[in-house]
Amino acid sequence: MSAPSDIAPTGEKPFTDYSRWRLLVNDGGRHTWHYLRTDEEVAKWPQNEVDKFWLGLDTNLPELPKPSTPLEAARNGYKYYKNLQSHDGHWPGEYGGPMFLLPGLIIGSYVTGMSFKEEERLEMIRYLFNRAHPDDGGWGIHVEGHSTVFGTGLNYTALRILGVDKDHPVCTRARATLHKLGGATAIPAWGKFWLSILNCYDWAGNNSVPPELWVLPDWLPFHPHRWWIHTRTVYIPMSYLYGVRFKMEETDLVLSLREELYPEDYYTIDWPAQRNNVSKADLYAPHSALFDAINVVLAGYEHCTIPPLRRAGVARAYELVVQEDENTSYQTLGPVSKMFNLIARAHAEGPESEAYKQHRIKRQDFMWIGADGMMMCGTNGSQLWDVAFITQALVETGLAGEEENKESLLKALEWLDDAQMLDDPKHHHTSYRHTTKGAWGFSTKEQGYIVSDCTGEGLKSAMYLQFELGFTPKPISKERMCLAVDAMLTLQNPNGGFASYEVIRGPAWLEWLNPAEVFGNIMIEYCYPECTTSVITSLAIFRKYFPDYRTRDIDQTIKGAIKYLHSVQTPEGGWIGSWGICITYATQFALESLSLVGETYETSNQSRRACEFLLKMQREDGGWGESYKSCEQSAWVEHENSQSVQTCWAVMALMYAKYPHPEPIEKGVRLVMSRQRPDGSWPQEAIEGVFNKTCAIAYPNFKFSFPIWMLGKADQYLRDIKARAVSSNGKANGNGYAKSDGKVNGNGYANGHH
């Protein structure tokens, strides 16, 4: 890739003209960013509020009347957020955060000869500049993490491929940090693999990734089809690339990187001795003794592989790569497998192949430009997830019924209608895929993966929009809703819980074979409170509308799921989240689902314990704030600051549980209202999501959907509490909310919320 000239010392200012970027939304929710180089193009395609917002430009949306009630604040929030809805009905958004994805995009593109546009390359450089750690210039596993060899080694390499000189101050500082951490010999397994592909790390320094695993009998308890889907889809192309020992040709850059990435002489390194060399700054999940012993055996096998067996393994792995591409229209499950699949297809079929062309087209779906530059997202988006939460929020708060919001809700329903999967994958059984018929996925229909909680939330939204509003059509038929229920019922595990994409296929001891070192709980599916609760909630609502459909099955499923949920409540009273941060997130979902089966603060010990736990964690300012480190430790770790989104989760949890006292809820409401801007928006605070214990990931649309939801619900909830207090006592217990005559004081909300 050609070297950009005159790279600025920092990424503080854009390296391109931000007024020329446009987000194209088409084909069921695809997101691709385009740079318009001519004035004629700019004139024909004006920048809209969606473009401006995500680029960090001024949207010029008007200031709104200062809200005096929570409902007015929620209404203002949606007046703003409605402008960020795409023409097709969904809300686009960034899904960034991990710092090991963009290097994979850059390395994978480089070794396959797939170029970037100049403007894309410049803004990738700028993003990496802006995400360098302010203390030492390195990079971590995610944007809020400490510097690691994984993050620093790969992102330094990415900058060099993009054309930044090794003597640029950003590179000089990062290289010093990399060497201080031990150099690239101490990079974790995935980093070793990427650098081996680039020919900057010797394949002999990797533990074996044998493709022969794919030709073993399926009934074996350790066969890879039993692994968690994200691990499986990454290791399929990895085993192919390892089997053929793919490596980039030696170039001047490759030769230079061999000098830059290591404090020692590259050509004197004892590569086999580096296989288990992982920096302490990176290590989260150390190898088990069993895994190390297996690696010794496999290392011996690599010296005497059986050629027909190796060829059969490589062929089967490649077949599965092709099937994954075709099942997902070349989106693949995620960004790591996306780039490994591209390299495998380019190696096998060449740059003139249709596969290569399709991968180039769909590569764009992962590239997102924001205020700090261009990143690679954690999937091709979070489209369904964001549509589900805001539509549920609008219905539950009553804002959906307001005339000015009806068109927006109709468009959202159209998108939900189009997003439901009505068929199984093209390669269903041969690629070890679970059913998708009736499901909603996390992002788009095209991406084509069922997720338990996404199907639950998608179905819940569809039911809300079609049955709770008087002005909507009913495009999603009862039969299709029943298909969604059928799909969810296939996902329950024997303990009653629900995992993410599939049922648990493998034994728990497979986690002893975790090769990644930087992630936890990646080898098999696990049951998750959040996934379980989303299914409980949607099934509980479904049986109200359709009490005669699979009644016994649904009742038994809910009963088993509730039993699981009770069993995984922590002694402190919360639930450990795996997809959001962390206990606050999971506890909100848990208390919602418990309330739908009649378990509330007054009736359920579990619900009461959860409320009491949350109340202990409320801060003096009325908010809650939990660090992503809670996910690493599976225990509450305080964040430096209260977080608006987490405060919304906690307050909603209390309301779901029918917590009878208004004061904690009022305090949370005041905090969230105080942080709302005059135009109705909220500022971005700390990162919201997580996966595999250690890697934080962004859900920036949460700062709209959950404050709107919480404030709108709280308005009515607090009125109801005060009304009950007035009717029973004839006065408002001295808190100034209602007068003794039962009328609301002034604007109906306790003073002092701003």
Side-chain angles (χ1 to χ4, degrees):
M1 296 183 181
S2 60
S5 59
D6 301 324
I7 297 296
T10 73
E12 183 180 356
K13 295 181 180 179
F15 290 175
T16 60
D17 181 352
Y18 262 40
S19 70
R20 293 181 176 272
W21 285 101
R22 303 290 186 273
L23 178 65
L24 177 65
V25 173
N26 59 4
D27 297 341
R30 286 188 62 208
H31 301 153
T32 53
W33 284 94
H34 301 266
Y35 191 82
L36 308 184
R37 291 178 173 172
T38 69
D39 292 342
E40 290 77 14
E41 290 175 307
V42 170
K44 289 180 180 178
W45 188 357
Q47 211 167 43
N48 62 22
E49 286 84 359
V50 178
D51 303 322
K52 292 175 184 176
F53 176 83
W54 290 109
L55 290 165
L57 304 176
D58 190 346
T59 59
N60 295 312
L61 292 171
E63 290 192 9
L64 301 169
K66 187 175 181 178
S68 57
T69 68
L71 182 61
E72 289 176 6
R75 184 178 291 116
N76 281 359
Y78 194 60
K79 282 181 185 292
Y80 186 96
Y81 190 41
K82 185 165 51 178
N83 291 284
L84 306 185
Q85 186 180 24
S86 181
H87 65 89
D88 69 351
H90 87 282
W91 281 260
E94 168 203 334
Y95 192 48
M99 286 304 299
F100 59 92
L101 303 181
L102 187 58
L105 174 72
I106 293 164
I107 294 171
S109 298
Y110 179 61
V111 302
T112 58
M114 190 177 284
S115 62
F116 295 109
K117 294 175 182 174
E118 178 72 3
E119 296 82 9
E120 295 167 347
R121 184 162 61 246
L122 286 169
E123 290 300 340
M124 289 178 193
I125 292 170
R126 180 168 164 262
Y127 181 77
L128 292 176
F129 280 13
N130 283 325
R131 290 303 186 183
H133 198 288
D135 293 342
D136 59 20
W139 294 269
I141 195 171
H142 60 83
V143 294
E144 294 187 6
H146 64 273
S147 293
T148 62
V149 179
F150 192 32
T152 305
L154 289 183
N155 285 295
Y156 175 91
T157 300
L159 281 176
R160 294 288 286 119
I161 292 172
L162 291 170
V164 180
D165 190 85
K166 67 179 181 179
D167 295 324
H168 188 285
V170 172
C171 285
T172 302
R173 194 167 182 232
R175 190 167 62 248
T177 294
L178 175 62
H179 290 186
K180 183 179 179 181
L181 290 170
T185 55
I187 202 167
W190 284 16
K192 296 179 193 297
F193 201 94
W194 275 119
L195 293 180
S196 297
I197 283 173
L198 188 58
N199 206 0
C200 294
Y201 185 102
D202 198 284
W203 277 113
N206 290 263
N207 283 312
S208 179
V209 190
E212 288 88 337
L213 288 173
W214 295 104
V215 295
L216 293 174
D218 288 354
W219 52 262
L220 288 171
F222 56 85
H223 189 281
H225 86 273
R226 301 183 186 279
W227 300 354
W228 183 46
I229 187 71
H230 273 282
T231 301
R232 190 163 84 230
T233 56
V234 166
Y235 277 88
I236 290 168
M238 283 177 76
S239 67
Y240 172 86
L241 295 168
Y242 180 84
V244 301
R245 296 299 197 275
F246 179 97
K247 59 183 179 182
M248 176 72 179
E249 63 185 16
E250 287 188 353
T251 63
D252 289 344
L253 176 60
V254 167
L255 295 173
S256 185
L257 281 169
R258 289 178 180 175
E259 296 180 2
E260 298 165 35
L261 293 172
Y262 306 92
E264 65 269 61
D265 182 350
Y266 177 88
Y267 300 97
T268 65
I269 294 171
D270 179 359
W271 290 106
Q274 311 310 319
R275 291 170 184 162
N276 299 319
N277 177 14
V278 179
S279 168
K280 291 181 180 178
D282 292 75
L283 190 60
Y284 178 77
H287 292 174
S288 67
L290 174 63
F291 185 63
D292 282 340
I294 290 171
N295 280 327
V296 170
V297 174
L298 291 175
Y301 171 72
E302 288 299 324
H303 293 295
C304 56
T305 56
I306 304 168
L309 188 58
R310 173 57 51 99
R311 286 195 296 270
V314 167
R316 176 60 176 147
Y318 188 72
E319 179 185 24
L320 290 168
V321 166
V322 173
Q323 290 181 354
E324 166 71 357
D325 284 347
E326 293 181 354
N327 281 338
T328 63
S329 299
Y330 293 83
Q331 292 286 359
T332 75
L333 179 60
V336 179
S337 57
K338 167 71 178 172
M339 297 312 296
F340 283 149
N341 277 21
L342 163 63
I343 301 168
R345 300 300 296 271
H347 174 264
E349 301 180 40
E352 300 303 318
S353 65
E354 183 62 23
Y356 187 92
K357 295 172 184 175
Q358 288 299 320
H359 267 294
R360 178 192 287 277
I361 291 168
K362 297 301 170 65
R363 184 185 67 165
Q364 293 295 122
D365 296 52
F366 291 84
M367 296 162 57
W368 184 273
I369 187 162
D372 292 328
M374 179 165 273
M375 68 194 78
M376 189 183 203
C377 290
T379 61
N380 62 327
S382 55
Q383 291 89 326
L384 180 283
W385 205 231
D386 289 323
V387 167
F389 286 139
I390 188 58
T391 51
Q392 292 174 34
L394 294 170
V395 173
E396 289 193 7
T397 59
L399 293 173
E402 297 185 357
E403 191 63 36
E404 63 182 19
N405 297 331
K406 289 181 178 179
E407 182 180 353
S408 171
L409 272 293
L410 289 169
K411 294 298 295 182
L413 178 56
E414 282 183 31
W415 194 88
L416 273 172
D417 175 26
D418 291 339
Q420 188 183 18
M421 303 170 211
L422 300 178
D423 297 294
D424 284 321
K426 177 181 179 180
H427 305 285
H428 183 187
H429 300 294
T430 54
S431 61
Y432 307 109
R433 286 286 304 275
H434 198 84
T435 183
T436 55
K437 192 172 184 178
W440 278 274
F442 178 70
S443 57
T444 61
K445 181 178 182 177
E446 179 181 62
Q447 193 250 11
Y449 271 91
I450 184 174
V451 190
S452 59
D453 54 358
C454 298
T455 302
E457 300 297 340
L459 177 60
K460 181 184 173 188
S461 294
M463 291 187 291
Y464 270 15
L465 291 172
Q466 293 191 175
F467 304 143
E468 295 293 328
L469 304 176
F471 59 88
T472 54
K474 295 179 172 53
I476 303 172
S477 65
K478 175 187 175 181
E479 289 71 25
R480 285 172 55 189
M481 291 184 178
C482 292
L483 285 176
V485 169
D486 293 343
M488 284 189 288
L489 294 182
T490 67
L491 287 166
Q492 189 169 37
N493 289 287
N495 68 351
F498 285 78
S500 51
Y501 296 83
E502 300 166 339
V503 292
I504 299 170
R505 296 178 176 181
W509 59 260
L510 279 179
E511 199 59 48
W512 298 344
L513 308 184
N514 179 352
E517 300 141 350
V518 296
F519 305 117
N521 291 2
I522 69 165
M523 288 305 295
I524 60 171
E525 274 279 17
Y526 290 87
C527 291
Y528 301 106
E530 309 102 294
C531 294
T532 304
T533 53
S534 287
V535 174
I536 294 170
T537 299
S538 63
L539 291 178
I541 294 170
F542 176 86
R543 69 181 177 183
K544 292 180 182 178
Y545 295 119
F546 305 108
D548 298 328
Y549 184 75
R550 297 188 67 175
T551 307
R552 179 183 175 87
D553 292 338
I554 291 173
D555 290 348
Q556 288 298 112
T557 297
I558 292 175
K559 184 178 179 181
I562 294 292
K563 184 178 179 181
Y564 161 79
L565 200 58
H566 287 169
S567 73
V568 295
Q569 188 175 20
T570 67
E572 296 79 15
W575 283 265
I576 304 297
S578 294
W579 305 106
I581 299 171
C582 166
I583 301 172
T584 328
Y585 180 74
T587 300
Q588 174 211 213
F589 282 100
L591 291 185
E592 179 188 20
S593 60
L594 290 178
S595 71
L596 288 169
V597 296
E599 294 194 26
T600 64
Y601 181 84
E602 298 289 355
T603 65
S604 162
N605 180 55
Q606 286 82 6
S607 182
R608 186 161 52 254
R609 285 172 51 218
C611 290
E612 289 168 354
F613 171 77
L614 287 174
L615 293 170
K616 285 181 192 174
M617 299 302 171
Q618 190 174 24
R619 301 181 177 196
E620 282 299 314
D621 65 4
W624 281 260
E626 188 181 3
S627 167
Y628 70 83
K629 292 182 180 295
S630 294
C631 307
E632 297 176 356
Q633 301 177 25
S634 296
W636 187 284
V637 178
E638 288 283 345
H639 194 280
E640 182 182 0
N641 303 306
S642 292
Q643 300 294 312
S644 295
V645 170
Q646 292 175 356
T647 299
C648 292
W649 292 340
V651 171
M652 286 175 67
L654 294 174
M655 292 191 290
Y656 285 133
K658 300 182 180 179
Y659 183 71
H661 307 298
E663 293 80 7
I665 295 170
E666 289 176 330
K667 288 173 67 178
V669 165
R670 281 196 289 271
L671 177 90
V672 175
M673 288 181 67
S674 73
R675 294 186 179 181
Q676 189 176 29
R677 292 166 169 159
D679 61 8
S681 67
W682 282 268
Q684 181 64 40
E685 298 176 346
I687 203 162
E688 303 87 355
V690 73
F691 61 89
N692 298 129
K693 298 291 186 182
T694 60
C695 194
I697 195 162
Y699 290 89
N701 279 323
F702 280 9
K703 67 177 173 286
F704 295 104
S705 53
F706 285 103
I708 291 167
W709 202 344
M710 183 277 280
L711 292 172
K713 282 178 69 73
D715 188 276
Q716 188 60 50
Y717 190 86
L718 291 170
R719 290 176 187 275
D720 290 345
I721 287 180
K722 299 309 170 79
R724 286 194 295 272
V726 168
S727 64
S728 60
N729 300 327
K731 57 184 181 180
N733 297 325
N735 59 22
Y737 192 91
K739 296 181 180 178
S740 59
D741 60 3
K743 295 180 180 177
V744 175
N745 247 352
N747 56 29
Y749 184 70
N751 293 327
H753 65 281
H754 277 291

